[in-house]
Amino acid sequence: MFLHHADHGAVADALRQRLAVQRDYYRPLKALADYLAPIHSTGMRAILENGLAHLETENAWLAKLVETVEAGDIRPPDYERARLMGLFPGGQPPLPPEYTQAPPPVPPPPAAKIKRARAPKPTVNSPTKPPLS
């Protein structure tokens, strides 16, 4: 949000380092997932695919951001344009006509609790069996 105030060289260096760490983390995880694929359950495969997809997306986002910063394509907010759009001063900003807010998700009904039989707790005066000889 405040990138236009930062030292662009320092930001690009930090982003490149982060991207390198992410890529170094991704490679062995992907290799392990591929190696163990024949024995994964469906759930385990889904979890690994989700994690790898998130890493791939973040790596692509970081790489694009590095390019943007290195190209110097950084601009501050355009307050004059915002004012012309009616965003200032205060109040609810107008939204584009294409925008529709989805209703919040409806939570699922609570799952029925399964009652499990419990073994009676031993009491202090309960008789004990003598050891077998």
XYZ file of all heavy atoms in Angstrom, residues 17-119:
804
model
N 14.712 -12.307 -2.654
C 15.123 -13.265 -1.625
C 13.945 -14.118 -1.182
O 14.071 -15.329 -1.021
C 15.722 -12.532 -0.426
C 17.075 -11.925 -0.696
C 17.574 -11.085 0.478
O 16.990 -11.083 1.559
N 18.660 -10.347 0.251
N 12.808 -13.496 -0.981
C 11.613 -14.244 -0.571
C 11.215 -15.252 -1.652
O 10.868 -16.396 -1.358
C 10.452 -13.275 -0.295
C 9.158 -13.946 0.048
C 9.250 -14.695 1.336
N 8.007 -15.396 1.577
C 7.807 -16.214 2.579
N 8.750 -16.418 3.454
N 6.660 -16.819 2.728
N 11.278 -14.825 -2.904
C 10.938 -15.724 -4.013
C 11.904 -16.906 -4.066
O 11.484 -18.050 -4.283
C 10.934 -14.947 -5.333
C 10.560 -15.718 -6.585
C 9.188 -16.366 -6.458
C 10.597 -14.787 -7.793
N 13.182 -16.663 -3.845
C 14.164 -17.752 -3.846
C 13.869 -18.757 -2.735
O 13.915 -19.971 -2.953
C 15.577 -17.182 -3.686
N 13.531 -18.254 -1.546
C 13.191 -19.135 -0.425
C 11.950 -19.951 -0.763
O 11.901 -21.160 -0.523
C 12.974 -18.312 0.870
C 12.347 -19.154 1.969
C 14.279 -17.710 1.336
N 10.937 -19.294 -1.322
C 9.694 -19.993 -1.699
C 9.974 -21.094 -2.715
O 9.427 -22.187 -2.617
C 8.693 -19.004 -2.295
C 8.128 -17.999 -1.338
C 6.921 -18.536 -0.618
O 6.927 -18.553 0.599
N 5.914 -18.954 -1.310
N 10.784 -20.771 -3.723
C 11.094 -21.771 -4.754
C 11.888 -22.925 -4.173
O 11.661 -24.080 -4.533
C 11.835 -21.112 -5.910
C 10.929 -20.250 -6.761
C 11.669 -19.571 -7.887
N 10.744 -18.877 -8.770
C 11.093 -17.891 -9.579
N 12.355 -17.472 -9.624
N 10.195 -17.320 -10.349
N 12.835 -22.620 -3.266
C 13.617 -23.676 -2.617
C 12.726 -24.565 -1.756
O 13.000 -25.752 -1.588
C 14.734 -23.074 -1.764
C 15.869 -22.495 -2.597
O 15.937 -22.794 -3.814
O 16.670 -21.730 -2.039
N 11.680 -24.024 -1.197
C 10.736 -24.789 -0.397
C 9.830 -25.636 -1.290
O 9.493 -26.776 -0.960
C 9.902 -23.827 0.458
C 8.886 -24.506 1.341
C 9.279 -25.246 2.447
C 7.527 -24.392 1.074
C 8.349 -25.869 3.271
C 6.590 -25.012 1.896
C 7.011 -25.741 2.977
O 6.086 -26.356 3.778
N 9.438 -25.080 -2.424
C 8.503 -25.746 -3.328
C 9.114 -27.006 -3.952
O 8.461 -28.047 -4.003
C 8.069 -24.781 -4.436
C 7.178 -25.409 -5.475
C 5.805 -25.458 -5.289
C 7.698 -25.958 -6.645
C 4.973 -26.038 -6.221
C 6.871 -26.543 -7.589
C 5.516 -26.583 -7.379
O 4.709 -27.172 -8.309
N 10.343 -26.895 -4.453
C 10.955 -28.007 -5.207
C 10.948 -29.335 -4.454
O 10.450 -30.338 -4.971
C 12.366 -27.625 -5.644
C 12.403 -26.687 -6.804
C 13.857 -26.456 -7.293
N 13.954 -25.185 -7.960
C 14.403 -24.063 -7.406
N 14.841 -24.061 -6.175
N 14.439 -22.957 -8.090
N 11.506 -29.406 -3.233
C 11.504 -30.706 -2.551
C 10.109 -31.172 -2.147
O 9.841 -32.373 -2.146
C 12.391 -30.478 -1.319
C 12.531 -29.020 -1.174
C 12.258 -28.402 -2.513
N 9.233 -30.245 -1.830
C 7.867 -30.628 -1.490
C 7.166 -31.260 -2.690
O 6.498 -32.285 -2.569
C 7.081 -29.417 -0.989
C 5.684 -29.689 -0.446
C 5.738 -30.651 0.730
C 5.019 -28.397 -0.034
N 7.352 -30.675 -3.855
C 6.762 -31.217 -5.089
C 7.371 -32.584 -5.391
O 6.651 -33.539 -5.741
C 7.008 -30.240 -6.248
C 6.587 -30.760 -7.610
C 5.099 -30.740 -7.783
C 4.725 -30.995 -9.235
N 3.923 -32.186 -9.400
N 8.698 -32.708 -5.250
C 9.360 -33.994 -5.507
C 8.845 -35.071 -4.560
O 8.578 -36.210 -4.979
C 10.874 -33.834 -5.375
N 8.680 -34.725 -3.292
C 8.176 -35.687 -2.316
C 6.737 -36.080 -2.635
O 6.379 -37.260 -2.586
C 8.267 -35.102 -0.904
C 7.794 -36.016 0.222
C 8.688 -37.249 0.315
C 7.780 -35.259 1.541
N 5.916 -35.100 -2.977
C 4.514 -35.388 -3.316
C 4.439 -36.316 -4.521
O 3.641 -37.259 -4.530
C 3.768 -34.090 -3.595
N 5.264 -36.060 -5.521
C 5.273 -36.921 -6.715
C 5.761 -38.327 -6.377
O 5.206 -39.315 -6.850
C 6.152 -36.308 -7.806
C 5.550 -35.052 -8.412
O 4.349 -34.788 -8.192
O 6.298 -34.319 -9.089
N 6.797 -38.419 -5.561
C 7.374 -39.710 -5.196
C 6.382 -40.562 -4.415
O 6.262 -41.766 -4.637
C 8.656 -39.487 -4.383
C 9.288 -40.756 -3.886
C 9.968 -41.603 -4.752
C 9.200 -41.117 -2.539
C 10.553 -42.780 -4.295
C 9.771 -42.281 -2.075
C 10.453 -43.115 -2.955
O 11.018 -44.272 -2.508
N 5.656 -39.916 -3.501
C 4.720 -40.654 -2.648
C 3.312 -40.752 -3.238
O 2.434 -41.353 -2.626
C 4.657 -40.005 -1.266
C 5.959 -40.034 -0.455
C 5.790 -39.270 0.836
C 6.399 -41.469 -0.192
N 3.099 -40.203 -4.425
C 1.766 -40.193 -5.036
C 1.099 -41.569 -5.082
O -0.100 -41.673 -4.838
C 1.827 -39.567 -6.425
N 1.847 -42.653 -5.381
C 1.176 -43.959 -5.453
C 0.557 -44.431 -4.139
O -0.326 -45.277 -4.152
C 2.293 -44.919 -5.881
C 3.331 -44.066 -6.510
C 3.249 -42.742 -5.812
N 1.007 -43.901 -3.018
C 0.470 -44.385 -1.741
C -0.440 -43.377 -1.045
O -1.021 -43.671 -0.013
C 1.607 -44.796 -0.776
C 2.481 -43.593 -0.414
C 2.425 -45.922 -1.353
C 3.429 -43.847 0.744
N -0.575 -42.173 -1.602
C -1.414 -41.155 -0.966
C -2.879 -41.546 -0.977
O -3.383 -42.090 -1.958
C -1.314 -39.815 -1.700
C -0.045 -39.097 -1.456
N 0.443 -38.162 -2.312
C 0.860 -39.166 -0.457
C 1.572 -37.685 -1.861
N 1.854 -38.289 -0.733
N -3.541 -41.194 0.104
C -4.993 -41.287 0.106
C -5.514 -40.115 -0.712
O -4.778 -39.169 -1.011
C -5.518 -41.188 1.544
O -5.264 -39.882 2.062
N -6.776 -40.155 -1.062
C -7.377 -39.045 -1.805
C -7.272 -37.755 -1.008
O -6.945 -36.700 -1.544
C -8.852 -39.359 -2.120
O -8.895 -40.577 -2.867
C -9.499 -38.244 -2.912
N -7.525 -37.826 0.279
C -7.442 -36.640 1.123
C -6.034 -36.070 1.192
O -5.834 -34.862 1.094
N -5.033 -36.940 1.352
C -3.645 -36.472 1.408
C -3.244 -35.847 0.082
O -2.603 -34.794 0.048
C -2.701 -37.621 1.761
C -1.236 -37.195 1.796
S -0.874 -35.799 2.885
C -0.921 -36.591 4.446
N -3.637 -36.471 -1.010
C -3.316 -35.907 -2.329
C -3.946 -34.524 -2.485
O -3.305 -33.581 -2.948
C -3.793 -36.836 -3.445
C -3.330 -36.351 -4.828
C -3.874 -37.190 -5.976
N -5.296 -36.876 -6.138
C -6.273 -37.771 -6.109
N -6.015 -39.036 -5.917
N -7.523 -37.406 -6.254
N -5.194 -34.389 -2.048
C -5.880 -33.102 -2.158
C -5.178 -32.030 -1.332
O -5.009 -30.893 -1.780
C -7.337 -33.251 -1.721
N -4.750 -32.389 -0.126
C -4.055 -31.430 0.732
C -2.740 -30.993 0.094
O -2.415 -29.799 0.054
C -3.828 -32.023 2.137
C -5.166 -32.133 2.875
C -2.821 -31.206 2.933
C -5.095 -32.956 4.139
N -1.966 -31.944 -0.398
C -0.689 -31.594 -1.029
C -0.899 -30.765 -2.291
O -0.184 -29.787 -2.520
C 0.104 -32.860 -1.359
C 0.759 -33.525 -0.147
C 1.296 -34.898 -0.522
C 1.864 -32.657 0.413
N -1.870 -31.134 -3.107
C -2.143 -30.354 -4.318
C -2.561 -28.932 -3.973
O -2.145 -27.980 -4.632
C -3.239 -31.023 -5.158
C -2.767 -32.272 -5.874
C -3.890 -33.011 -6.574
O -5.081 -32.641 -6.418
O -3.577 -33.971 -7.288
N -3.348 -28.767 -2.917
C -3.768 -27.439 -2.488
C -2.572 -26.616 -2.034
O -2.416 -25.454 -2.430
C -4.796 -27.566 -1.359
C -5.261 -26.224 -0.863
O -4.674 -25.663 0.065
N -6.310 -25.704 -1.459
N -1.723 -27.191 -1.206
C -0.538 -26.486 -0.734
C 0.396 -26.103 -1.866
O 0.903 -24.976 -1.923
N 0.615 -27.026 -2.796
C 1.491 -26.738 -3.941
C 0.878 -25.668 -4.837
O 1.592 -24.788 -5.334
C 1.760 -28.026 -4.732
C 2.661 -29.042 -4.018
C 2.635 -30.382 -4.746
C 4.082 -28.525 -3.876
N -0.425 -25.708 -5.028
C -1.089 -24.689 -5.855
C -0.952 -23.306 -5.219
O -0.718 -22.312 -5.916
C -2.564 -25.051 -6.054
N -1.074 -23.235 -3.895
C -0.900 -21.954 -3.205
C 0.524 -21.438 -3.384
O 0.735 -20.248 -3.631
C -1.234 -22.086 -1.722
C -2.694 -22.041 -1.434
N -3.367 -20.871 -1.189
C -3.618 -23.020 -1.356
C -4.642 -21.132 -0.974
N -4.823 -22.429 -1.078
N 1.503 -22.331 -3.251
C 2.899 -21.915 -3.433
C 3.151 -21.442 -4.864
O 3.840 -20.443 -5.086
C 3.843 -23.061 -3.083
C 4.051 -23.316 -1.601
C 4.806 -24.632 -1.379
C 4.799 -22.170 -0.956
N 2.611 -22.165 -5.839
C 2.785 -21.762 -7.243
C 2.183 -20.375 -7.484
O 2.787 -19.531 -8.144
C 2.118 -22.777 -8.177
C 2.826 -24.110 -8.241
C 1.996 -25.183 -8.942
O 0.875 -24.887 -9.415
O 2.465 -26.329 -8.993
N 1.000 -20.152 -6.939
C 0.336 -18.856 -7.110
C 1.133 -17.746 -6.446
O 1.345 -16.684 -7.031
C -1.087 -18.917 -6.532
O -1.826 -19.930 -7.234
C -1.803 -17.590 -6.665
N 1.600 -17.986 -5.229
C 2.379 -16.952 -4.544
C 3.693 -16.694 -5.261
O 4.130 -15.543 -5.380
C 2.642 -17.335 -3.094
C 3.311 -16.202 -2.340
C 3.287 -16.358 -0.836
O 2.574 -17.224 -0.328
O 3.984 -15.581 -0.182
N 4.326 -17.746 -5.766
C 5.578 -17.554 -6.507
C 5.353 -16.729 -7.770
O 6.159 -15.848 -8.093
C 6.219 -18.897 -6.846
C 6.779 -19.592 -5.620
O 6.883 -19.005 -4.544
N 7.129 -20.858 -5.767
N 4.278 -16.995 -8.488
C 3.969 -16.213 -9.691
C 3.679 -14.759 -9.317
O 4.129 -13.831 -9.999
C 2.778 -16.823 -10.433
N 2.951 -14.548 -8.229
C 2.642 -13.189 -7.774
C 3.914 -12.449 -7.375
O 4.115 -11.284 -7.750
C 1.658 -13.272 -6.613
C 1.365 -11.953 -5.974
C 0.506 -10.992 -6.414
C 1.943 -11.446 -4.769
N 0.510 -9.916 -5.549
C 1.387 -10.177 -4.538
C 2.867 -11.949 -3.856
C 1.725 -9.403 -3.434
C 3.200 -11.175 -2.757
C 2.630 -9.916 -2.564
N 4.798 -13.126 -6.627
C 6.060 -12.506 -6.224
C 6.913 -12.157 -7.437
O 7.496 -11.069 -7.498
C 6.843 -13.430 -5.291
C 6.392 -13.478 -3.837
C 7.052 -14.644 -3.106
C 6.711 -12.176 -3.134
N 7.006 -13.073 -8.400
C 7.813 -12.816 -9.604
C 7.282 -11.602 -10.363
O 8.061 -10.747 -10.821
C 7.827 -14.055 -10.497
N 5.964 -11.498 -10.471
C 5.366 -10.346 -11.163
C 5.628 -9.053 -10.393
O 5.930 -8.018 -10.987
C 3.866 -10.569 -11.335
C 3.176 -9.468 -12.097
C 1.699 -9.761 -12.288
C 1.030 -8.603 -13.006
N -0.401 -8.800 -13.141
N 5.538 -9.111 -9.074
C 5.787 -7.926 -8.263
C 7.250 -7.485 -8.372
O 7.541 -6.292 -8.456
C 5.396 -8.189 -6.809
C 5.448 -6.997 -5.862
C 4.620 -5.818 -6.378
C 4.982 -7.422 -4.476
N 8.182 -8.435 -8.411
C 9.599 -8.106 -8.598
C 9.775 -7.367 -9.924
O 10.447 -6.333 -9.990
C 10.482 -9.373 -8.553
C 11.893 -9.080 -9.054
C 10.534 -9.939 -7.145
N 9.160 -7.896 -10.989
C 9.249 -7.239 -12.307
C 8.687 -5.821 -12.254
O 9.265 -4.896 -12.819
C 8.498 -8.049 -13.361
C 9.155 -9.338 -13.749
C 8.313 -10.156 -14.718
O 7.324 -9.613 -15.277
O 8.625 -11.339 -14.913
N 7.568 -5.651 -11.591
C 6.938 -4.334 -11.487
C 7.850 -3.352 -10.768
O 8.048 -2.224 -11.225
C 5.592 -4.449 -10.740
O 4.736 -5.323 -11.468
C 4.919 -3.103 -10.574
N 8.417 -3.782 -9.646
C 9.289 -2.901 -8.872
C 10.560 -2.590 -9.658
O 10.999 -1.430 -9.714
C 9.615 -3.532 -7.500
C 10.667 -2.727 -6.764
C 8.350 -3.653 -6.656
N 11.160 -3.604 -10.268
C 12.392 -3.384 -11.035
C 12.158 -2.456 -12.230
O 13.044 -1.688 -12.603
C 12.971 -4.713 -11.514
C 13.578 -5.522 -10.396
C 14.091 -6.880 -10.829
O 13.647 -7.410 -11.879
O 14.935 -7.428 -10.114
N 10.973 -2.511 -12.809
C 10.650 -1.644 -13.947
C 10.315 -0.225 -13.488
O 10.172 0.674 -14.317
C 9.484 -2.232 -14.730
N 10.185 -0.033 -12.183
C 9.848 1.287 -11.659
C 8.409 1.678 -11.920
O 8.059 2.850 -11.893
N 7.565 0.689 -12.156
C 6.156 0.934 -12.457
C 5.355 1.060 -11.167
O 4.447 0.273 -10.890
C 5.627 -0.205 -13.338
C 4.218 0.052 -13.840
O 3.773 1.215 -13.795
O 3.563 -0.919 -14.261
N 5.742 2.018 -10.338
C 5.123 2.196 -9.025
C 4.529 3.594 -8.990
O 5.191 4.564 -9.303
C 6.179 2.036 -7.922
C 6.752 0.622 -7.996
C 5.580 2.322 -6.561
C 7.975 0.424 -7.179
N 3.275 3.655 -8.622
C 2.622 4.971 -8.585
C 1.923 5.151 -7.248
O 1.475 4.186 -6.629
C 1.638 5.117 -9.732
C 0.512 4.121 -9.732
C -0.380 4.291 -10.970
N -1.398 3.283 -11.002
C -2.574 3.377 -10.405
N -2.888 4.454 -9.726
N -3.456 2.399 -10.482
N 1.808 6.396 -6.840
C 1.075 6.683 -5.612
C -0.426 6.682 -5.899
O -0.847 6.649 -7.059
C 1.565 8.088 -5.238
C 1.914 8.704 -6.546
C 2.431 7.580 -7.414
N -1.252 6.739 -4.863
C -2.695 6.814 -5.083
C -3.050 8.109 -5.841
O -2.385 9.121 -5.688
C -3.294 6.848 -3.680
C -2.189 6.632 -2.724
C -0.902 6.735 -3.446
N -4.077 8.033 -6.642
C -4.538 9.207 -7.402
C -5.734 9.806 -6.662
O -6.885 9.475 -6.926
C -4.924 8.781 -8.823
C -5.259 9.951 -9.727
O -5.534 11.052 -9.210
O -5.269 9.753 -10.958
N -5.435 10.696 -5.724
C -6.493 11.269 -4.894
C -7.441 12.156 -5.691
O -8.625 12.233 -5.374
C -5.882 12.048 -3.729
C -5.156 11.143 -2.756
C -3.780 11.216 -2.601
C -5.850 10.211 -2.008
C -3.123 10.383 -1.718
C -5.209 9.370 -1.129
C -3.840 9.461 -0.986
O -3.194 8.625 -0.107
N -6.933 12.812 -6.719
C -7.812 13.655 -7.533
C -8.857 12.796 -8.247
O -10.035 13.117 -8.281
C -6.997 14.473 -8.540
C -7.826 15.345 -9.451
C -8.699 16.369 -8.707
O -8.408 16.722 -7.547
O -9.703 16.807 -9.295
N -8.428 11.693 -8.804
C -9.369 10.784 -9.467
C -10.380 10.226 -8.468
O -11.560 10.103 -8.759
C -8.617 9.671 -10.164
C -9.516 8.735 -10.913
C -8.719 7.713 -11.661
N -9.306 7.607 -12.983
C -8.797 6.913 -13.959
N -7.669 6.288 -13.799
N -9.398 6.842 -15.114
N -9.888 9.868 -7.281
C -10.785 9.358 -6.241
C -11.834 10.404 -5.883
O -13.011 10.090 -5.714
C -9.982 8.955 -5.012
N -11.403 11.673 -5.784
C -12.348 12.746 -5.466
C -13.396 12.865 -6.558
O -14.590 12.988 -6.283
C -11.600 14.073 -5.295
C -12.487 15.202 -4.798
C -11.760 16.536 -4.805
N -11.381 16.971 -6.148
C -12.242 17.426 -7.090
N -13.517 17.487 -6.837
N -11.805 17.809 -8.265
N -12.964 12.780 -7.825
C -13.905 12.877 -8.946
C -14.881 11.697 -8.971
O -15.990 11.822 -9.471
C -13.147 12.969 -10.268
C -12.341 14.258 -10.465
C -11.486 14.172 -11.731
C -13.271 15.465 -10.519
N -14.449 10.565 -8.436
C -15.333 9.397 -8.359
C -16.296 9.490 -7.181
O -17.144 8.628 -6.996
C -14.499 8.106 -8.233
C -13.700 7.755 -9.461
S -12.589 6.349 -9.184
C -13.757 5.029 -8.923
N -16.140 10.521 -6.374
C -17.019 10.686 -5.227
C -16.562 9.944 -3.993
O -17.336 9.744 -3.067
N -15.294 9.521 -3.976
C -14.801 8.753 -2.838
C -14.421 9.645 -1.657
O -14.256 9.159 -0.555
C -13.589 7.919 -3.249
C -13.852 6.891 -4.351
C -12.566 6.190 -4.728
C -14.887 5.879 -3.910
N -14.246 10.907 -1.887
C -13.880 11.849 -0.821
C -14.840 13.006 -0.875
O -15.266 13.409 -1.939
C -12.444 12.359 -0.999
C -11.411 11.287 -0.871
C -10.694 10.865 -1.967
C -11.150 10.706 0.358
C -9.748 9.877 -1.856
C -10.203 9.717 0.476
C -9.487 9.297 -0.632
N -15.199 13.629 0.151
C -14.871 13.347 1.545
C -15.890 12.387 2.150
O -17.087 12.606 2.029
C -14.948 14.714 2.222
C -15.979 15.448 1.428
C -15.877 14.920 0.022
N -15.437 11.367 2.806
C -16.268 10.420 3.557
C -17.404 9.812 2.757
O -17.491 9.926 1.552
N -18.262 9.138 3.458
C -19.426 8.522 2.823
C -19.099 7.196 2.167
O -17.956 6.790 2.070
N -20.128 6.544 1.703
C -19.985 5.256 1.026
C -19.554 5.489 -0.418
O -20.218 6.205 -1.156
C -21.323 4.496 1.059
C -21.298 3.146 0.400
C -20.417 2.144 1.138
O -20.213 2.241 2.325
N -19.893 1.200 0.413
N -18.423 4.913 -0.843
C -17.996 5.120 -2.221
C -18.931 4.430 -3.202
O -19.466 3.364 -2.905
C -16.600 4.498 -2.257
C -16.569 3.536 -1.132
C -17.517 4.060 -0.097
N -19.127 5.034 -4.366
C -19.939 4.356 -5.374
C -19.173 3.152 -5.923
O -17.958 3.193 -6.035
C -20.125 5.426 -6.450
C -18.976 6.355 -6.276
C -18.619 6.321 -4.823
N -19.898 2.112 -6.208
C -19.270 0.901 -6.735
C -19.632 0.758 -8.212
O -20.674 1.228 -8.652
C -19.754 -0.321 -5.946
C -19.391 -0.291 -4.460
C -20.059 -1.438 -3.733
C -17.890 -0.335 -4.265
N -18.760 0.087 -8.982
C -19.084 -0.110 -10.394
C -20.366 -0.918 -10.543
O -20.665 -1.782 -9.710
C -17.890 -0.885 -10.943
C -16.996 -1.182 -9.815
C -17.513 -0.516 -8.590
N -21.143 -0.670 -11.593
C -22.420 -1.381 -11.743
C -22.246 -2.891 -11.900
O -23.141 -3.653 -11.587
C -23.045 -0.762 -13.002
C -21.973 0.032 -13.647
C -20.910 0.299 -12.650
N -21.070 -3.334 -12.359
C -20.847 -4.785 -12.551
C -20.633 -5.513 -11.231
O -20.687 -6.726 -11.163
C -19.613 -5.047 -13.430
C -19.588 -4.331 -14.746
C -19.067 -2.899 -14.627
O -18.177 -2.609 -13.817
O -19.602 -2.059 -15.362
N -20.342 -4.738 -10.195
C -20.017 -5.337 -8.903
C -21.289 -5.769 -8.188
O -22.228 -5.002 -8.038
C -19.255 -4.342 -8.029
C -18.970 -4.864 -6.634
C -17.891 -5.696 -6.419
C -19.779 -4.532 -5.567
C -17.616 -6.184 -5.155
C -19.516 -5.014 -4.294
C -18.432 -5.838 -4.100
O -18.170 -6.322 -2.842
N -21.298 -7.008 -7.777
C -22.385 -7.489 -6.923
C -21.741 -8.255 -5.777
O -20.847 -9.072 -5.992
C -23.365 -8.413 -7.668
O -22.636 -9.508 -8.208
C -24.091 -7.677 -8.769
N -22.187 -7.945 -4.608
C -21.622 -8.616 -3.451
C -22.401 -9.895 -3.204
O -23.622 -9.880 -3.100
C -21.677 -7.720 -2.230
C -21.004 -8.336 -1.029
C -20.869 -7.358 0.119
O -21.166 -6.189 -0.023
N -20.425 -7.847 1.255
N -21.667 -10.979 -3.095
C -22.298 -12.262 -2.815
C -22.782 -12.266 -1.367
O -22.139 -11.688 -0.494
C -21.308 -13.391 -3.037
N -23.903 -12.908 -1.115
C -24.357 -12.984 0.276
C -23.390 -13.833 1.088
O -22.691 -14.682 0.532
C -25.725 -13.656 0.163
C -25.694 -14.383 -1.126
C -24.775 -13.607 -2.030
N -23.330 -13.614 2.386
C -22.418 -14.423 3.193
C -22.835 -15.885 3.143
O -24.020 -16.200 2.988
C -22.568 -13.845 4.604
C -23.835 -13.073 4.592
C -24.101 -12.663 3.170
N -21.871 -16.782 3.245
C -22.219 -18.203 3.193
C -23.077 -18.608 4.385
O -22.944 -18.053 5.473
C -20.865 -18.917 3.230
C -19.910 -17.913 3.760
C -20.455 -16.557 3.437
N -23.958 -19.533 4.153
C -24.821 -20.044 5.219
C -24.078 -21.182 5.896
O -23.661 -22.134 5.235
C -26.161 -20.552 4.638
C -27.027 -21.151 5.738
C -26.876 -19.438 3.920
N -23.872 -21.094 7.203
C -23.141 -22.173 7.874
C -23.963 -23.458 7.857
O -25.195 -23.413 7.913
C -22.936 -21.655 9.292
C -23.957 -20.592 9.482
C -24.291 -20.050 8.114
N -23.281 -24.580 7.761
C -24.018 -25.854 7.784
C -24.618 -26.077 9.169
O -24.129 -25.529 10.156
C -22.940 -26.894 7.478
C -21.654 -26.244 7.881
C -21.850 -24.771 7.677
N -25.672 -26.876 9.225
C -26.258 -27.158 10.541
C -25.238 -27.923 11.387
O -24.399 -28.636 10.852
C -27.478 -28.020 10.220
C -27.222 -28.566 8.862
C -26.340 -27.581 8.152
N -25.323 -27.768 12.696
C -24.357 -28.475 13.542
C -24.523 -29.981 13.395
O -25.627 -30.496 13.248
C -24.691 -28.010 14.960
C -26.023 -27.352 14.878
C -26.271 -26.980 13.456
N -23.401 -30.655 13.390
C -23.421 -32.115 13.267
C -23.975 -32.719 14.554
O -23.766 -32.190 15.645
C -22.013 -32.632 13.009
N -24.677 -33.822 14.381
C -25.216 -34.517 15.548
C -24.066 -35.111 16.346
O -23.131 -35.673 15.777
C -26.172 -35.612 15.104
N -24.128 -34.950 17.640
C -23.074 -35.500 18.482
C -23.333 -36.980 18.711
O -24.454 -37.398 18.964
C -23.012 -34.767 19.813
C -22.525 -33.352 19.675
C -22.330 -32.715 21.031
C -21.787 -31.313 20.849
N -21.541 -30.678 22.138
N -22.280 -37.739 18.605
C -22.372 -39.183 18.831
C -22.046 -39.441 20.290
O -20.989 -39.051 20.778
C -21.396 -39.946 17.920
C -21.733 -39.674 16.460
C -21.416 -41.428 18.234
C -20.726 -40.233 15.487
N -22.983 -40.062 20.978
C -22.747 -40.394 22.380
C -22.075 -41.754 22.451
O -22.540 -42.716 21.851
C -24.056 -40.403 23.161
C -24.663 -39.034 23.296
C -25.822 -39.042 24.249
C -26.346 -37.627 24.404
N -27.323 -37.533 25.469
N -20.990 -41.765 23.157
C -20.250 -43.012 23.312
C -20.421 -43.507 24.741
O -20.415 -42.724 25.686
C -18.777 -42.782 23.012
C -18.551 -42.402 21.577
C -17.086 -42.358 21.269
N -16.918 -42.134 19.838
C -16.075 -41.303 19.316
N -15.267 -40.606 20.070
N -15.984 -41.168 18.001
N -20.550 -44.808 24.844
C -20.666 -45.404 26.173
C -19.317 -45.299 26.861
O -18.280 -45.519 26.247
C -21.099 -46.857 26.057
N -19.351 -44.947 28.118
C -18.116 -44.842 28.883
C -18.078 -45.945 29.918
O -19.089 -46.312 30.503
C -18.036 -43.496 29.580
C -17.874 -42.357 28.627
C -17.624 -41.082 29.379
N -17.400 -39.996 28.429
C -17.322 -38.743 28.759
N -17.445 -38.385 30.021
N -17.117 -37.822 27.853
N -16.878 -46.430 30.116
C -16.702 -47.443 31.161
C -16.887 -46.768 32.518
O -16.500 -45.605 32.676
C -15.319 -48.061 31.061
